[in-house]
Amino acid sequence: MTRSPFRVAGISVALAISVAACSGDASETATAATPKNVIFFLGDGMGLTTMTAARIYAVGEDGELTMDTLPETAFIKTFSNDAQVTDSAPSMSAYMTGVKMNNEVLSMSSDTVAIDPIADANGNKLGNNCGAANGKPATTLLELAKAKGWSAGVVSTTRITHATPAATYSHICHRDLENDIAAALVPGGNGFNTALGAAGIDVVLGGGRQFFTLPKDGGKRADGRDLIIELKAKNYAYASNAAEFNALDAGKTERLIGLFTTSHMSYDLDRDAAKEPSLAEMTTKAMEVLAKNSKGYFLMVEGGRIDHALHETTAKKALQDTVAFDNAIKAAIAKAKVTDPELKNTLVVVTADHDHTLVLNGYAKRTGKTAANSPGVLGLVKNYVTGATEKDLDGAPYSIIGFGNGENRTQASRATMVGLDETSTGANTYHQEAVVRMAAGSETHGGTDVFLGAVGQGADGFLGTLDNTRVFSLIKNATGL
C-alpha cells in the first residue's frame, strides 16, 4: 500500500491508495505482528485549538509537543447518538465499545436512555434508577483485554469514577451514578463487573476517594461498604498520597489502587508534589506493574482536568494540564522503548473525546512560549507589524485566547476594559472573555472534530477522517482482541 503524507491545518494526514482501502476494510486488517501492549491516552476536552495554544504556551509557535511528533494522524468525529455536541460519557464509550450511545450513558447499547439518578433534596445521588430493561452492556476494549489474559489499568487526574475512566470498566445508564460505578471495581462484591474477570482491574490510579468510603470518613457511600477495605482484602496495594505511592515497589506489586484526593486531583498548576503524583508518574508506575504480565496489557490514561479548566474558562490551567498530559505521553513512550525499542509490540494511541469553544483571536504577532517575563499566548493581541496593542471597536484591548461561551462577558461597551493588561490575562485564575454569557463554570463542549495520533505496531491504520466508533475496531483488530 502506498501512502503519501500532506498537511491540513498543521496536522499530518496520510492518504491510503489501494483497492482495499476504497472498500473501507484495509485499515482494519490485523497486522502481521500483533502488539502485546496498548496505551490509550485521552485528553478530555483537548480540541485542536487547545492543542495549538498549549504548544505555543510550552514551546512557542515553531516548537513541538510529543503529540505533534506521532507519525500517524487522523481527524475524529465526536457526535453522540442523540446530540451534535457530545459529553464525555458516550464519546469515550464509543472509543471503548464501537457503539454510538446517548449523552450521559456509559458503555451501553445505543437504545439505552439516560435516566437521572434518584436524588435527595440537596441533590445528592442516592440510587440507580436505570431500569432493568433499559439497554444492554456493550463490551469494552479493557474487558476484551482481560478476557485475553492481559493485565489492565486505568489512570486519570479526575475521580476514577468520572465519565472517561468509568467508560472502560462499567456499564450504566447515567454517568452520575458514581457509587455504583465504584462498586464495579471490587472483585466479588455486590455490583462488581464480572466481565473484568475474577481478579478485576490490575491498576487504578486517580482521585475520587469519596465514592469508596463512608460518610464518617468523608465519603458518600450510603450502603455501609468501605470499598478501600474490600479492595485491600482482595490483595490490592493501596496508596492515598504521593509518599505512599512513591514507596511502592512495582516489582513486588501485583495489583494497585491509588486514590489521592476526595474528589478530582488538583490542576497541575496547583498540584503539591508531596501530596499528589503527576500524571506522568502515575502512568509509568502503572506500566511497571502491568508489564509483569508476559501476555500484555491495556492501559488507559486520561488527562481529565483539561476539560474542567476549559469549563471554567481559565485557559492557563487548561494549557498547563495539556502540557502535563503531553509529558505523560513522552514518559510512556520512552519507558516502552526501554524493552521495545522500535515499538514492534506496543501500540500508543492519543486522542480527545471532544473539544471546547476556546478560540485564538485576531492577527496577533508571534509571542513565543510563556515565560516569567512574557505571557505568550495568554497575553493581549498585538499588531504583527508594529507591535502595538490592538483595540476593538470600543477602543479596548482584547486577549489572544477567548471562548465562544463562558462566565466572563462584558454586559455593556467594552470601553470599560481599556485598562485590561497582560498581568491580568496571564494570571493563573484569569477567566478569558466569552461571546455568550453562561453561569460560572458552565462553558460548553464544542462539536469540532478532534486530533488522533498513533505510534507503534498497528498505528498505520489510523488515517483520514474517522468516526470515534471506528477507533474501537482499529485497536481491536490491530491487537487481535
Side-chain angles (χ1 to χ4, degrees):
M1 181 173 71
T2 302
R3 305 179 70 244
S4 174
F6 69 99
R7 304 288 294 182
V8 176
I11 294 179
S12 176
V13 181
L15 289 178
I17 307 173
S18 70
V19 173
C22 292
S23 70
D25 296 329
S27 63
E28 295 186 15
T29 302
T31 55
T34 300
K36 293 169 61 179
N37 303 320
V38 179
I39 310 174
F40 185 93
F41 284 94
L42 192 289
D44 200 311
M46 189 185 69
L48 289 168
T49 49
T50 298
M51 282 182 62
T52 303
R55 179 192 307 123
I56 301 170
Y57 169 80
V59 292
E61 288 87 348
D62 56 358
E64 286 185 327
L65 299 175
T66 300
M67 290 181 280
D68 297 320
T69 69
L70 299 175
E72 310 298 338
T73 59
F75 294 115
I76 304 298
K77 296 185 284 186
T78 64
F79 64 93
S80 68
N81 191 54
D82 63 347
Q84 185 179 92
V85 177
T86 188
D87 81 277
S88 296
S91 186
M92 183 57 169
S93 296
Y95 287 134
M96 292 296 105
T97 70
V99 177
K100 282 282 185 188
M101 56 200 73
N102 295 326
N103 274 5
E104 300 178 316
V105 174
L106 284 172
S107 295
M108 297 286 287
S109 54
S110 58
D111 60 343
T112 306
V113 178
I115 300 175
D116 288 338
I118 301 168
D120 63 19
N122 297 318
N124 296 313
K125 309 300 188 297
L126 298 179
N128 188 327
N129 197 34
C130 287
N134 186 12
K136 298 178 180 179
T139 302
T140 73
L141 287 169
L142 188 147
E143 291 168 344
L144 290 172
K146 290 296 294 184
K148 197 176 177 67
W150 292 12
S151 293
V154 179
V155 175
S156 178
T157 52
T158 69
R159 298 191 295 265
I160 208 67
T161 52
H162 213 235
T164 296
T168 68
Y169 66 82
S170 69
H171 308 272
I172 206 156
C173 81
H174 201 288
R175 57 180 287 176
D176 286 350
L177 288 161
E178 294 187 66
N179 278 325
D180 296 275
I181 291 167
L185 286 169
V186 184
N190 183 34
F192 173 59
N193 177 13
T194 57
L196 299 174
I201 298 179
D202 302 275
V203 177
V204 179
L205 298 172
R209 192 164 51 237
Q210 62 186 316
F211 295 108
F212 291 77
T213 56
L214 300 170
K216 69 181 182 65
D217 300 313
K220 291 188 175 181
R221 299 205 66 84
D223 57 3
R225 297 174 65 187
D226 186 316
L227 301 189
I228 294 174
I229 291 175
E230 293 183 24
L231 286 162
K232 287 181 178 179
K234 296 294 181 178
N235 298 318
Y236 281 85
Y238 174 64
S240 64
N241 56 51
E244 293 173 356
F245 175 79
N246 293 331
L248 287 167
D249 183 347
K252 298 179 181 178
T253 303
E254 295 300 321
R255 289 190 281 179
L256 170 62
I257 181 164
L259 299 172
F260 304 105
T261 50
T262 298
S263 185
H264 301 302
M265 295 182 71
S266 300
Y267 289 117
D268 198 61
L269 275 175
D270 304 327
R271 182 175 63 88
D272 182 344
K275 296 179 179 179
E276 301 176 44
S278 69
L279 186 60
E281 290 167 340
M282 291 192 290
T283 300
T284 54
K285 179 85 79 173
M287 292 173 67
E288 290 171 5
V289 174
L290 298 174
K292 294 198 297 293
N293 186 339
S294 61
K295 293 182 179 180
Y297 63 79
F298 182 97
L299 174 62
M300 191 289 294
V301 179
E302 182 199 21
R305 303 233 63 195
I306 302 168
D307 175 76
H308 298 164
L310 292 169
H311 280 303
E312 290 182 1
T313 61
T314 47
K316 189 173 184 179
K317 292 180 181 179
L319 303 189
Q320 180 61 38
D321 264 68
T322 303
V323 173
F325 176 68
D326 194 72
N327 288 339
I329 299 167
K330 181 179 180 179
I333 292 174
K335 191 167 192 66
K337 285 185 174 181
V338 172
T339 55
D340 186 12
E342 298 180 9
L343 299 182
K344 291 184 177 180
N345 296 302
T346 304
L347 173 61
V348 178
V349 177
V350 178
T351 191
D353 48 355
H354 54 77
D355 81 335
H356 274 265
T357 70
L358 183 146
V359 295
L360 300 180
N361 288 315
Y363 295 106
K365 67 175 293 186
R366 286 175 59 161
T367 65
K369 68 179 183 180
T370 297
N373 61 348
S374 172
V377 73
L378 297 167
L380 300 174
V381 174
K382 294 180 180 178
N383 187 280
Y384 63 87
V385 176
T386 67
T389 301
E390 296 280 21
K391 304 292 179 63
D392 70 359
L393 196 59
D394 295 324
Y398 56 98
S399 60
I400 296 171
I401 294 178
F403 284 84
N405 62 66
E407 61 192 77
N408 182 12
R409 180 180 183 274
T410 303
Q411 294 300 289
S413 167
R414 286 194 75 257
T416 59
M417 305 289 289
V418 293
L420 185 68
D421 61 23
E422 293 185 331
T423 300
S424 297
T425 64
N428 289 5
T429 57
Y430 179 69
H431 298 267
Q432 276 72 20
E433 290 183 83
V435 177
V436 177
R437 189 163 67 104
M438 305 291 283
S442 297
E443 181 271 347
T444 70
H445 298 171
T448 306
D449 295 353
V450 297
F451 166 85
L452 180 144
V455 65
Q457 185 59 51
D460 58 357
F462 296 93
L463 56 114
T465 297
L466 305 170
D467 189 81
N468 53 8
T469 56
R470 184 82 175 277
V471 174
F472 166 84
S473 57
L474 287 168
I475 295 175
K476 180 177 182 292
N477 291 328
T479 59
L481 288 176

